[in-house]
Amino acid sequence: MCDITFSCVSDPKAARDLVLGPSGVLQGIRPGKCYIEMSTVDPETITELSQVITSRGGRFLEAPVAGSQQLSNDGMLVILAAGDRTVYEDCSSCFQAMGKTSFFLGEAGNAARMMLILNMVQGSFMATIAEGLTLAQATGQSQQTFLDILCQGQMASTFVDQKCQNILQGNFKPDYYLKHIQKDLRLAISMGDMANHPTPMAAAANEVYKRAKALDQSDNDISAVYRAYIH
Amino acid sequence: MCDITFSCVSDPKAARDLVLGPSGVLQGIRPGKCYIEMSTVDPETITELSQVITSRGGRFLEAPVAGSQQLSNDGMLVILAAGDRTVYEDCSSCFQAMGKTSFFLGEAGNAARMMLILNMVQGSFMATIAEGLTLAQATGQSQQTFLDILCQGQMASTFVDQKCQNILQGNFKPDYYLKHIQKDLRLAISMGDMANHPTPMAAAANEVYKRAKALDQSDNDISAVYRAYIH
Amino acid sequence: MCDITFSCVSDPKAARDLVLGPSGVLQGIRPGKCYIEMSTVDPETITELSQVITSRGGRFLEAPVAGSQQLSNDGMLVILAAGDRTVYEDCSSCFQAMGKTSFFLGEAGNAARMMLILNMVQGSFMATIAEGLTLAQATGQSQQTFLDILCQGQMASTFVDQKCQNILQGNFKPDYYLKHIQKDLRLAISMGDMANHPTPMAAAANEVYKRAKALDQSDNDISAVYRAYIH
Amino acid sequence: MCDITFSCVSDPKAARDLVLGPSGVLQGIRPGKCYIEMSTVDPETITELSQVITSRGGRFLEAPVAGSQQLSNDGMLVILAAGDRTVYEDCSSCFQAMGKTSFFLGEAGNAARMMLILNMVQGSFMATIAEGLTLAQATGQSQQTFLDILCQGQMASTFVDQKCQNILQGNFKPDYYLKHIQKDLRLAISMGDMANHPTPMAAAANEVYKRAKALDQSDNDISAVYRAYIH
């Protein structure tokens, strides 16, 4: 019955069920109704949802968010939007409340594509950081000193600093779920697959996260990929 | 004849030849003479050089530098030192002229170990960035927008920004030679090998750089690994 | 209208459409009707097809085949069956005509699982063979001699011999389509994903086949993965 | 004092020490003396040994063997020879006693190159087999049935059969040491490195063997790489 419905769920199946399921949102879509999908899913799912919503006269926008639990709490998310530009403009005040900035990326599906690539890069960065910290330990070096040096150089970033801190403190409380980054890596690899584009770094990272999942790290933070390197 | 000799060459063989070769530095090493090895080589080479220098009464320090051509010009290198602490202290003014900061890491070999791990991380980051930018293009997204989004998030760093700029501008003038980062990846993987420590991200990255070398990118900047993804 | 319908198509989507599409086979399924799915697809698709067929009173068997065009012509395929055992027994004469042997593997989905693992192994073997032959060439060795030596040892097999011959003769006429083995690798990796089981060899192979596809080798034989190593 | 010296040791360092060390073979090399290196080492080591032996007037042949403990006991090894052809011919009766066949491959170094590529293929095959068997188990399939099916198809080989049997029986008594195949993978990857030739399958396999080594499988058979997949 709402004029605008926001959805944010964990994977393509859940996103699809919410719209297409037995008592799904689609039942209530009529001209004038807006549906905003904020989940990070694959572009095919977005395209399908966009088509069914618009075929009933509804307006569709995808608006996945880049960021973590902490950034969300602070209203510092980055929002990637694509689909119906008028919805994007009508909801700009909502997006301003949630995030520090937003991008409009054109037709529906583009925000999903961009978000998967960003998360693919993040997943590979995280695995690389864990690989570096564990190799430091395995060769008798101080992990704290490794971090200190890293933070003096050009690779220094909030991400590197926070994730190394997590590992040094053994604090894997989820800021971004490990199982979600693995899902994103899988979807990004699959997107590369359809584009005939090799993604060997993401493929290697994906296998490391699968090992972490086998070690029961799914519901920990992505930095718990560290444990795949020490077990 | 110098009291202090600084060496900075491109690989383990060159570093060894400079000391041990027919008219090598070792000939002139006597008590009181200092030898400072600034090349990034493997820890075994450092250990060997340290032993021969000290067995003649010389003092040995390794002091590889983290950074690029540009940082070197600006005196903003980070220096990792290990070996004879008194040499490190005696030369502190030299290091201050070259770099913005330095670390003393204990016994000879540790600076090589730490440097190889740092460069391993850098090599994997670079390949990941190239993979992200090319997947953006392959799926119809703007590379410039991808960079803009990346720079709004927690992964933003000088490194990410500069290397993406290189790629967007097609400017692969060497700030750090691609062949050198591949050599460092190789040495880091080999170090992991000796420690029985898997490094799947570095192994994947190494194969991408080998492809880039096969495409004649050895003497370009490390960002030219981009070309391994588009050919 | 047939009592028994055999299906053999190229991917999960086609298999699903044939049954569930607008004028799909499901319309004609009634008690007594049998549906035999011979396509190599993912276990989820098989489970779904099995459920819809049996919910209408039909009997369902999956029976994917291991082998190639040539083996098919010769009636030498290996058939993996699972699902309704009575259908398997009723159709034993058909399977004997098509294949040299068959296995019954229990509940529907098991044949898909086993076939994907077999094809995953085959895809990784093929990429490994291509890697060996090209490294021989790159290091100045005779590829023919490499094959001769390989065929004297314990790794000798019909597969190794035939695929090396293909490469030595530059004959990539499809006996098994490269695009199909890449699809199978993708599905096997995804199956490992759901089981939290790392498959780093398959992941590496998948990236090589993606490169081969980008080089327009999709409709050639799987041995054309060779070209991913020389371009 | 012997006219012909045969050497067969475990790695490049041992091979070099035996010739060049303090009481090494080189001391006794004079015109007429033959040195036959049967170890599997890198081509650079062979080239170096060949040069020092021949510079003293000696004759040099490399003759690494393909095969296992069992094949050695049975006199069924395959011998790859390269270097001085007259030595090869003079020793043909020795080689016939040890192996079922031999190949002469031209200049010294070629046998090392060919052997490393063969062992690289073997190492990748073995990791692939272990990956298939463990994925079968992880998805609820019978490993014995998987082997039965594999042995009905074109990939059937003595190697596949024996190594699967090892795994099914949990018998990892060394026929070929896991640490040696990992050393060979490392040397083959390094050879690809020097030829700018990517070897992504070998690189992935190498990381799996490193994990197996970290799990204390170095002195077990190569089939113990299986354990890297289940721990």
Side-chain angles (χ1 to χ4, degrees), chain B residues 171-186:
Chain B
N171 168 19
F172 300 117
K173 190 165 153 287
D175 194 38
Y176 193 81
Y177 282 113
L178 188 140
K179 66 185 174 193
H180 289 165
I181 201 83
Q182 194 271 327
K183 178 258 299 173
D184 293 345
L185 280 163
R186 177 166 55 82

Side-chain angles (χ1 to χ4, degrees), chain A residues 139-194:
Chain A
T139 57
Q141 305 308 302
S142 154
Q143 293 187 327
Q144 179 65 57
T145 305
F146 176 74
L147 172 56
D148 293 345
I149 298 169
L150 203 51
C151 288
Q152 290 289 328
Q154 300 198 306
M155 289 186 283
S157 69
T158 310
F159 183 77
V160 164
D161 186 50
Q162 286 187 355
K163 295 311 178 186
C164 285
Q165 294 292 358
N166 283 3
I167 290 171
L168 288 173
Q169 295 162 16
N171 167 19
F172 300 117
K173 188 165 154 288
D175 194 38
Y176 193 81
Y177 282 113
L178 188 141
K179 66 185 173 191
H180 289 166
I181 202 84
Q182 193 271 328
K183 178 258 300 174
D184 293 345
L185 279 163
R186 176 168 54 82
L187 294 176
I189 292 167
S190 168
M191 193 165 71
D193 201 315
M194 276 177 277

Side-chain angles (χ1 to χ4, degrees), chain B:
Chain B
M1 288 191 297
C2 310
D3 288 337
I4 306 180
T5 306
F6 289 83
S7 152
C8 193
V9 293
S10 64
D11 64 25
K13 190 177 178 311
R16 204 179 271 113
D17 286 354
L18 209 60
V19 173
L20 305 167
S23 53
V25 166
L26 192 58
Q27 314 294 332
I29 295 294
R30 294 185 301 280
K33 298 288 188 182
C34 296
Y35 192 72
I36 303 183
E37 180 55 82
M38 301 192 75
S39 315
T40 294
V41 296
D42 56 299
E44 288 69 38
T45 298
I46 291 297
T47 304
E48 183 185 353
L49 295 181
S50 173
Q51 284 170 350
V52 296
I53 298 286
T54 55
S55 72
R56 298 273 181 115
R59 294 191 290 159
F60 180 83
L61 186 77
E62 60 166 339
V65 291
S68 60
Q69 188 60 48
Q70 186 57 46
L71 291 175
S72 173
N73 295 349
D74 300 347
M76 291 297 280
L77 296 168
V78 173
I79 295 166
L80 306 188
D84 189 325
R85 181 152 206 149
T86 63
V87 179
Y88 175 64
E89 285 159 0
D90 292 353
C91 296
S92 63
S93 63
C94 299
F95 294 142
Q96 278 160 21
M98 286 185 270
K100 68 168 176 174
T101 186
S102 66
F103 293 83
F104 184 79
L105 301 171
E107 67 176 21
N110 281 348
R113 288 182 191 97
M114 202 63 110
M115 189 59 73
L116 287 179
I117 302 172
L118 279 172
N119 288 355
M120 176 186 90
V121 168
Q122 188 174 53
S124 293
F125 271 27
M126 183 67 245
T128 297
I129 293 166
E131 190 166 297
L133 278 171
T134 52
L135 184 56
Q137 188 169 54
T139 56
Q141 305 308 302
S142 154
Q143 294 187 325
Q144 179 65 57
T145 304
F146 177 74
L147 173 55
D148 293 344
I149 298 169
L150 204 50
C151 288
Q152 289 290 327
Q154 300 198 307
M155 291 186 283
S157 71
T158 310
F159 183 76
V160 164
D161 185 49
Q162 285 186 356
K163 295 311 179 186
C164 285
Q165 294 292 355
N166 282 3
I167 291 172
L168 288 174
Q169 294 161 16
N171 168 19
F172 300 117
K173 190 165 153 287
D175 194 38
Y176 193 81
Y177 282 113
L178 188 140
K179 66 185 174 193
H180 289 165
I181 201 83
Q182 194 271 327
K183 178 258 299 173
D184 293 345
L185 280 163
R186 177 166 55 82
L187 295 175
I189 292 168
S190 169
M191 192 165 73
D193 201 316
M194 277 176 277
N196 288 340
H197 191 75
T199 53
M201 299 300 293
N206 191 38
E207 297 304 318
V208 181
Y209 285 98
K210 280 159 71 176
R211 178 168 294 279
K213 283 174 69 185
L215 294 165
D216 278 327
Q217 302 302 312
S218 291
D219 291 321
N220 276 334
D221 185 63
I222 62 170
S223 46
V225 71
Y226 175 75
R227 287 186 170 146
Y229 280 98
I230 55 173
H231 291 290

